[in-house]
Amino acid sequence: MNPRLTFFWTLAFAALVAHQVYLWTGGLQVETDLLRLLPQGERDEVAEGALRALADSASRQVVVLVGGPDAATEAARFEAAVDASVLAPVPLPASPEDSLLEALLPHRDRLLTAGQRSQLAALSAEQLTERALLQLQQPMAARLGDFRDDPLQLFPEFLRERAQASRVRPVDGQLRVGDEVLLRFEVKGAGMSLGSEPRLQQALDAAKARVATDTTLLVAGVPLFAETASVQANNEVNTIGLGSLLAIILVMWLAFRSPRPLILVVLSVGTGVAAGLSACVLVFGKVHLMTLVFGASLVGVAEDYGIHYFAARQARPEVERHQLLELLKPALLLAMVTSVAGYVMLAITPMPGLRQVALFSGAGLAAAFLTVLAFFPFLDSGQVRSTRFSRVWAGTRAKWPSLSGARLAVALALVLLVAGVGIFRLRAQDDVRALQASPPHLLAAQKALAERIGLPSPAQFFVVRGADEGERLAREEALLERLDAFISEGQLLRYDAVSQWVPSPRRQEENRAVWAKARAAVLEGLKDELDGEAPPFIESEQLGVDAVLGTSVGAALRPLRLADANVVMLHSPSREALERFATLGALPGVKFVDRTGEISSLMRRWRVGMSELLVAGYFVIFAALWWRFRAQAWRALLPTALASLAALGVVGFLDEPFSLFHVLALWLLLGMGVDYGIFLLEHPDDGGEAWLAVGLGAVSTLLSFGLLAISSTQAVHAFGVTLGVGVTLVWLGSPLFVPLEAAPRPVRASPPPA
Amino acid sequence: MSAALVLLLLAADGDVASRVQAKLVQREVLTGTFEQSKQVKGFKRPFRSSGTYEVKKGAGVKWNTAAPFASQLTVTADEIRSMQGSEQLFALDAKTEPTVKVITQLLFSLLAGDFAVLSQHFDARGAVEGEGWSIELVPKAGPLTRAFTRISLKGDAFVRSVTLHEESGDVTLISLAPAP
């Protein structure tokens, strides 16, 4: 009996209710971007900056490629039909090409493509002269400037070749990609909210219905993926939350046949979930959708304390309820601490998403525990009826077989053998791409569109650093020469880089020299044809990046140029190329950033690391159990250990890809599974009420976590399968190791402080 | 935009469009020889070249220069390609360069006598005297002004000459002799 605890917890409860009212009346911000769950990677400010810039520009855009016999008309019709309050068209920049020409023209003698440089070096003076005349006889030669300045028309050729790198052209106020029209939209409204309605998809489908049937539409964009994930997760939250709530109500009703235990257990669980939500919002500002999916499963764990209390009340009507709670407290506390310890292990992983889950669950469990401790004896007046269901269930405890001696050894060997075979079959899968659950049609459209309009890979690129702009560009050029080898091998389609438009100062001087030599050769060859002295070679100043940023290519160049580094984007690199790119990091100032590969390797390291740590975790939990149960401690831990191995074995037999998430699920299993052993060891001589409480708890835990297995998100699914198998085995296996007659009373000399 | 010129070399239209059009002989395939004289700023003499041409209505234009250097220019709905023997001097593909499509469409509408298209790009003035006619085209504000100040066409039942006054100061005179 602790009135002070009740008093303080009542205050905390009131604050919690107030916060929840605030949250549910509009203060709750739900994040749906799955990428936010991924680790930041090795801290590299520059690479992170580049990634952020890429992500920001991409995260709100939806693009539609319209094809068909009359693409221009249908595109206009489609654009007009899209609900602008959901997706607003992005306007085209006005008359872009002129400014680029004007920006580059004064520096034209400094601009050559790689092809031009090698060609000019290879041709003789006569060949150069012939080439100049050949161009002169072209009836359609749109010459730029005085013949004598640029007799070989190197500058128009440079422009033409550079322009071909981008397939998207503004024509008649539309963006054309070949015969097709590209439409760009931006998602309107303040981010995405937790919704079950696919608003974007509906807006696009409505517009789709308006265009001619022979029109082809390719739709892609990050918001569509986010929306699909959001709708999907929303359904999962509802299914899992509702499923586990119904499970609790069902088992509570069967066991107690009275509304009071039911209401109080739901109160403790509700307080737990609310506290988890509030804690996340207070610490992180908002809560991620995936946290809610996991949080829904918390329901299945948090009810254990309340159930345990009522099972004891039902079995011992003669004991005063405050006193009873004092007797239960050590076991409840130990169970809560071991469970929270399991969640704390999630918090130390590099994944921000799991940190939220850990906080949500840790705070939730603690709050549910405190609610039982502080409120239950006060609110639970009267008797808890005995029911036939409870008696039958409790009675099975006495009939449950127990293992010892040779039978124990044989059972252990058998479980280890079977689990071992399954574990041997495990296939590790750390590739984050495989863990995504995006619908195939969206992925296919995204890929097709990236190929058609030439989108670079957003997750793999080079970062080039240097003391100043000039050094960066020079180092970038050194890198590009190496990348050219990949292009000629067919391992890379092409790249986007600043130095393609603005060569390094040294390269500019070289180009100018090559240009001047070729021009002089042509003018010398045509000396007899020319009238008097040729005008002097144009004087030009060095071309700077800033001059080009203001033009139409500025939009394409800006993401490639960070405050103190350049980014080289890659188009369609092969897997082999990605593996070999890391070696290019040996070039001065060059770093290859492989976001996907980085996260995958991070996942692998954490999978291995957390697996090893799990063994250490068993020792820590064993120490905690030893403190209370001494030589009998192994009886509480062994079922969980065996169930974990068996769960791994099942994953192996199911041929599921084995990832970090399975290992993390085993951590949770350690925290929860040990509870069952604790409850049974604490009450070796009871009438089976601990067994009843464990069973009721396990069934509802199973229903809630087992429901995670239906999730289409691979990570959530992994939790569901591992915990579903694990919890079942711990529940059914625990009594095997706690024989009723053999178990001594636990040490009660030093109960932990309340 | 540059290909728009080609069609102007070969098709005559203008403000006096309907009258000129009435005079022009319409043929599915038009072939002939040409002589080109280009006065380039800085050169003592005009630069001369000659060869043959072929216009297939709605399909494409071939411009084969025989002297001083053999080269072939082909303009179709899908591409603009310039070859010297087997060596490709340059090529623009309509698939990657959407403007090609616009240019060639303009070309073919011109060859078909679609004056609506022409007047979108040029202001035209002209005169008809007996069998002969002349038209002067001044590009409207837009990308064409970067290439030409004006284009003069002369002819009778056929286009006989095209004079291109280029923005650079160069003047190109093309004389056409259609095969009978």
Side-chain angles (χ1 to χ4, degrees):
Chain A
M1 193 163 154
N2 195 338
R4 216 187 312 164
L5 174 71
T6 307
F7 174 71
F8 282 117
W9 189 243
T10 308
L11 289 186
F13 186 78
L16 183 64
V17 169
H19 192 228
Q20 290 294 311
V21 169
Y22 160 73
L23 288 182
W24 292 105
T25 50
L28 183 63
Q29 273 190 299
V30 179
E31 198 161 40
T32 55
D33 185 0
L34 281 176
L35 288 176
R36 303 268 176 205
L37 290 176
L38 293 176
Q40 291 284 304
E42 316 289 71
R43 296 304 303 184
D44 181 332
E45 292 300 324
V46 176
E48 291 299 323
L51 279 169
R52 253 197 310 279
L54 283 171
D56 286 349
S57 64
S59 66
R60 303 187 67 83
Q61 276 215 357
V62 171
V63 290
V64 182
L65 191 62
V66 185
D70 193 2
T73 315
E74 297 302 333
R77 190 176 310 185
F78 185 88
E79 191 171 61
V82 171
D83 182 352
S85 65
V86 178
L87 285 167
V90 178
L92 287 186
S95 182
E97 279 180 42
D98 291 1
S99 62
L100 174 67
L101 195 65
E102 264 138 40
L104 294 182
L105 193 64
H107 311 278
R108 59 191 183 277
D109 57 319
R110 295 167 177 271
L111 302 172
L112 289 175
T113 66
Q116 286 179 316
R117 263 197 309 281
S118 57
Q119 203 173 47
L120 290 179
L123 294 176
S124 68
E126 290 74 38
Q127 285 171 314
L128 288 172
T129 309
E130 184 182 322
R131 183 155 293 231
L133 291 175
L134 197 59
Q135 283 183 354
L136 214 48
Q137 78 179 20
Q138 295 292 338
M140 57 173 291
R143 305 187 60 81
L144 277 171
D146 192 315
F147 173 84
R148 294 165 299 181
D149 283 343
D150 185 5
L152 290 161
Q153 288 289 288
L154 297 171
F155 181 54
E157 197 178 306
F158 171 85
L159 281 181
R160 198 161 53 229
E161 194 177 310
R162 292 272 14 101
Q164 276 175 353
S166 152
R167 293 185 186 169
V168 184
R169 291 297 133 75
V171 177
D172 297 342
Q174 285 181 322
L175 284 178
R176 295 272 173 83
V177 183
D179 296 340
E180 298 171 321
V181 179
L182 184 71
L183 298 175
R184 295 184 301 167
F185 298 93
E186 202 174 78
V187 176
K188 295 309 272 185
M192 302 265 269
S193 56
L194 174 58
S196 53
E197 290 285 294
R199 284 163 54 234
L200 301 180
Q201 198 60 54
Q202 285 168 355
L204 291 167
D205 286 343
K208 208 177 275 183
R210 298 285 187 80
V211 298
T213 46
D214 53 0
T215 310
T216 60
L217 293 166
L218 266 184
V219 184
V222 176
L224 295 176
F225 286 90
E227 183 178 82
T228 311
S230 164
V231 170
Q232 192 174 292
N234 190 59
N235 291 338
E236 286 171 7
V237 169
N238 289 341
T239 312
I240 295 167
L242 199 67
S244 41
L245 195 65
L246 287 178
I248 292 183
I249 291 173
L250 182 70
V251 295
M252 290 298 291
W253 184 255
L254 284 175
F256 301 107
R257 298 265 170 182
S258 151
R260 189 162 26 88
L262 179 59
I263 290 168
L264 285 180
V265 167
V266 169
L267 171 76
S268 74
V269 169
T271 310
V273 172
L277 189 61
S278 287
C280 272
V281 174
L282 290 176
V283 172
F284 296 103
K286 47 183 133 181
V287 61
H288 198 284
L289 200 54
M290 282 301 141
T291 309
L292 292 181
V293 174
F294 268 101
S297 68
L298 176 69
V299 172
V301 187
E303 99 267 79
D304 285 3
Y305 314 123
I307 290 178
H308 199 62
Y309 169 84
F310 279 109
R313 283 269 289 142
Q314 190 180 43
R316 301 178 179 186
E318 76 285 0
V319 184
E320 198 276 324
R321 54 183 193 273
H322 286 93
Q323 215 175 347
L324 181 71
L325 188 61
E326 283 302 313
L327 290 175
L328 295 175
K329 204 161 71 180
L332 292 181
L333 182 70
L334 193 58
M336 193 271 285
V337 167
T338 51
S339 299
V340 170
Y343 281 110
V344 166
M345 294 313 288
L346 296 187
I348 67 164
T349 64
M351 313 221 189
L354 289 177
R355 252 173 256 154
Q356 270 202 19
V357 170
L359 178 67
F360 190 102
S361 306
L365 287 183
F369 171 75
L370 286 171
T371 306
V372 172
L373 226 54
F375 290 169
F376 274 30
F378 291 96
L379 298 176
D380 172 36
S381 55
Q383 293 295 312
V384 177
R385 240 194 309 166
S386 175
T387 63
R388 193 165 162 271
F389 180 86
S390 297
R391 284 194 301 276
V392 168
W393 190 315
T396 59
R397 173 70 176 105
K399 293 178 215 136
W400 210 263
S402 64
L403 295 175
S404 60
R407 279 167 73 198
L408 178 64
V410 170
L412 278 183
L414 214 64
V415 171
L416 290 179
L417 181 73
V418 175
V421 171
I423 290 171
F424 184 72
R425 290 168 51 99
L426 281 180
R427 282 178 304 112
Q429 171 64 273
D430 300 309
D431 192 335
V432 282
R433 282 167 289 201
L435 295 175
Q436 274 180 346
S438 301
H441 74 272
L442 277 184
L443 285 174
Q446 178 91 10
K447 189 158 174 282
L449 207 105
E451 278 167 12
R452 296 274 255 292
I453 66 177
L455 286 178
S457 161
Q460 287 109 1
F461 51 87
F462 284 95
V463 174
V464 184
R465 264 170 275 222
D468 51 31
E469 182 100 71
E471 191 175 48
R472 281 198 289 281
L473 291 170
R475 287 176 166 180
E476 187 179 290
E477 280 160 356
L479 169 66
L480 299 189
E481 272 166 31
R482 301 287 288 274
L483 291 180
D484 287 337
F486 284 89
I487 293 177
S488 49
E489 279 177 45
Q491 304 280 356
L492 177 67
L493 189 62
R494 60 169 195 276
Y495 47 72
D496 299 335
V498 180
S499 61
Q500 287 176 297
W501 288 97
V502 184
S504 66
R506 199 179 58 199
R507 177 65 55 82
Q508 289 192 25
E509 291 305 323
E510 286 168 10
N511 285 347
R512 186 170 153 79
V514 169
W515 176 300
K517 191 165 160 239
R519 170 181 177 267
V522 174
L523 293 184
E524 177 61 25
L526 295 175
K527 195 171 52 186
D528 298 339
E529 302 289 328
L530 291 173
D531 190 13
E533 284 295 302
F537 189 43
I538 61 164
E539 284 299 326
S540 70
E541 288 178 9
Q542 195 177 302
L543 173 64
V545 178
D546 290 325
V548 184
L549 285 181
T551 69
S552 58
V553 295
L557 286 190
R558 231 163 274 130
L560 302 178
R561 192 208 193 208
L562 310 175
D564 57 350
N566 285 356
V567 178
V568 176
M569 301 296 292
L570 305 164
H571 291 260
S572 313
S574 70
R575 287 213 166 218
E576 188 197 326
L578 289 176
E579 279 162 28
R580 286 162 57 197
F581 280 158
T583 62
L584 296 180
L587 294 169
V590 173
K591 185 180 178 203
F592 178 53
V593 179
D594 180 358
R595 176 78 159 149
T596 317
E598 207 175 277
I599 294 173
S600 300
S601 89
L602 206 63
M603 297 269 284
R604 195 193 66 242
R605 289 212 304 274
W606 277 92
R607 177 174 56 75
V608 174
M610 292 301 277
S611 302
E612 290 166 358
L613 210 54
L614 185 60
V615 178
Y618 269 86
F619 280 103
V620 173
I621 299 286
F622 185 74
L625 294 172
W626 177 265
W627 166 73
R628 185 146 180 86
F629 300 118
R630 305 294 166 191
Q632 302 300 321
W634 66 273
R635 295 184 189 276
L637 196 57
L638 189 63
T640 306
L642 291 179
S644 295
L645 290 174
L648 278 185
V650 169
V651 172
F653 280 117
L654 287 177
D655 243 359
E656 290 203 5
F658 176 58
S659 69
L660 172 62
F661 301 106
H662 293 96
V663 179
L664 296 176
L666 291 183
W667 274 99
L668 292 189
L669 184 61
L670 172 59
M672 291 188 295
V674 167
D675 293 2
Y676 302 161
I678 294 172
F679 289 150
L680 292 182
L681 267 185
E682 282 281 347
H683 310 284
D685 54 353
D686 68 9
E689 79 254 19
W691 171 240
L692 172 66
V694 164
L696 295 179
V699 166
S700 45
T701 303
L702 266 179
L703 281 169
S704 57
F705 267 110
L707 284 171
L708 289 185
I710 64 167
S711 172
S712 48
T713 305
Q714 188 71 42
V716 179
H717 170 79
F719 271 91
V721 169
T722 314
L723 286 169
V725 174
V727 167
T728 309
L729 293 179
V730 176
W731 164 39
L732 299 178
S734 284
L736 297 177
F737 300 94
V738 188
L740 282 172
E741 65 280 9
R745 299 198 67 83
V747 182
R748 297 216 182 198
S750 56
Chain B
M1 63 179 166
S2 34
L5 329 184
V6 177
L7 49 102
L8 293 167
L9 315 181
L10 303 163
D13 319 74
D15 193 27
V16 276
S18 49
R19 280 200 283 162
V20 171
Q21 195 180 24
K23 291 186 185 298
L24 283 171
V25 172
Q26 299 290 327
R27 284 189 188 167
E28 282 305 306
V29 181
L30 189 65
T31 58
T33 59
F34 72 86
E35 274 189 36
Q36 178 176 301
S37 165
K38 193 167 203 156
Q39 180 60 59
V40 180
K41 200 171 137 196
F43 277 75
K44 287 179 195 161
R45 293 177 290 275
F47 177 72
R48 291 176 195 284
S49 57
S50 58
T52 60
Y53 65 92
E54 180 189 301
V55 180
K56 267 194 193 144
K57 205 168 182 178
V61 175
K62 280 185 185 154
W63 189 265
N64 297 323
T65 307
F69 305 103
S71 70
Q72 302 81 41
L73 177 76
T74 316
V75 180
T76 67
D78 298 324
E79 64 169 5
I80 299 172
R81 180 191 295 275
S82 173
M83 305 283 288
Q84 184 185 21
S86 60
E87 190 196 353
Q88 181 172 302
L89 293 177
F90 80 88
L92 291 174
D93 191 331
K95 284 199 183 68
T96 55
E97 198 64 57
T99 41
V100 170
K101 197 113 191 171
V102 178
I103 290 163
T104 53
Q105 270 167 359
L106 182 64
L107 166 61
F108 295 139
S109 60
L110 274 165
L111 291 173
D114 183 348
F115 299 110
V117 175
L118 188 73
S119 63
Q120 281 171 20
H121 299 275
F122 296 96
D123 292 318
R125 277 178 295 139
V128 179
E129 289 177 19
E131 289 304 298
W133 52 265
S134 67
I135 285 178
E136 191 152 286
L137 300 167
V138 177
K140 289 182 174 173
L144 280 177
T145 56
R146 194 170 281 288
F148 302 102
T149 51
R150 62 194 165 90
I151 297 169
S152 312
L153 299 145
K154 283 187 182 149
D156 40 45
F158 299 97
V159 184
R160 295 290 179 184
S161 83
V162 181
T163 311
L164 303 163
H165 299 267
E166 295 178 28
E167 175 64 30
S168 59
D170 299 350
V171 178
T172 306
L173 170 68
I174 301 170
S175 307
L176 301 169

